[in-house]
């Protein structure tokens, strides 16, 4: 297992994930992120409008961004 961090950022602000999550690999981290994003969109569809310009950066324990997801789009 490895620790991955899910940071939110746009051009002006950043919300760092200070805790991270233990996940087996990058692909599983991306899948988990997409699942959580879709659940948030389903629970409050109007909130997705506020996500314009935001990205979710998945970083490994050394701080390297291993995946970046544009929150402006739907994923599935």
């Amino acid at each position: 297992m490895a620790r991955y961090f899910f940071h939110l950022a746009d051009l002006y602000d950043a919300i760092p994930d200070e805790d991270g999550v233990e996940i087996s690999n990058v692909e599983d981290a991306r899948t988990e992120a997409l699942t959580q994003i879709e659940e948030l969109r389903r629970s409050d569809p109007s909130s997705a409008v506020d996500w314009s310009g935001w990205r979710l950066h998945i970083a490994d324990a050394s701080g390297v961004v291993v995946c970046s997801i544009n929150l402006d789009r739907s994923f599935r």
Side-chain angles (χ1 to χ4, degrees), residues 3-52:
R3 184 163 295 274
Y4 291 94
F5 297 84
F6 299 84
H7 308 299
L8 292 168
D10 72 357
L11 291 175
Y12 310 102
D13 296 303
I15 304 169
D17 174 5
E18 301 292 336
D19 300 320
V21 177
E22 292 286 330
I23 299 178
S24 57
N25 57 50
V26 174
E27 293 80 21
D28 287 349
R30 184 177 187 282
T31 299
E32 181 62 24
L34 292 173
T35 299
Q36 295 299 320
I37 291 165
E38 286 302 319
E39 285 182 18
L40 286 169
R41 285 180 187 266
R42 277 194 298 274
S43 70
D44 186 6
S46 64
S47 71
V49 172
D50 297 332
W51 296 2
S52 180

Side-chain angles (χ1 to χ4, degrees), residues 18 58 67 75:
E18 301 292 336
I58 302 172
C67 180
F75 308 105

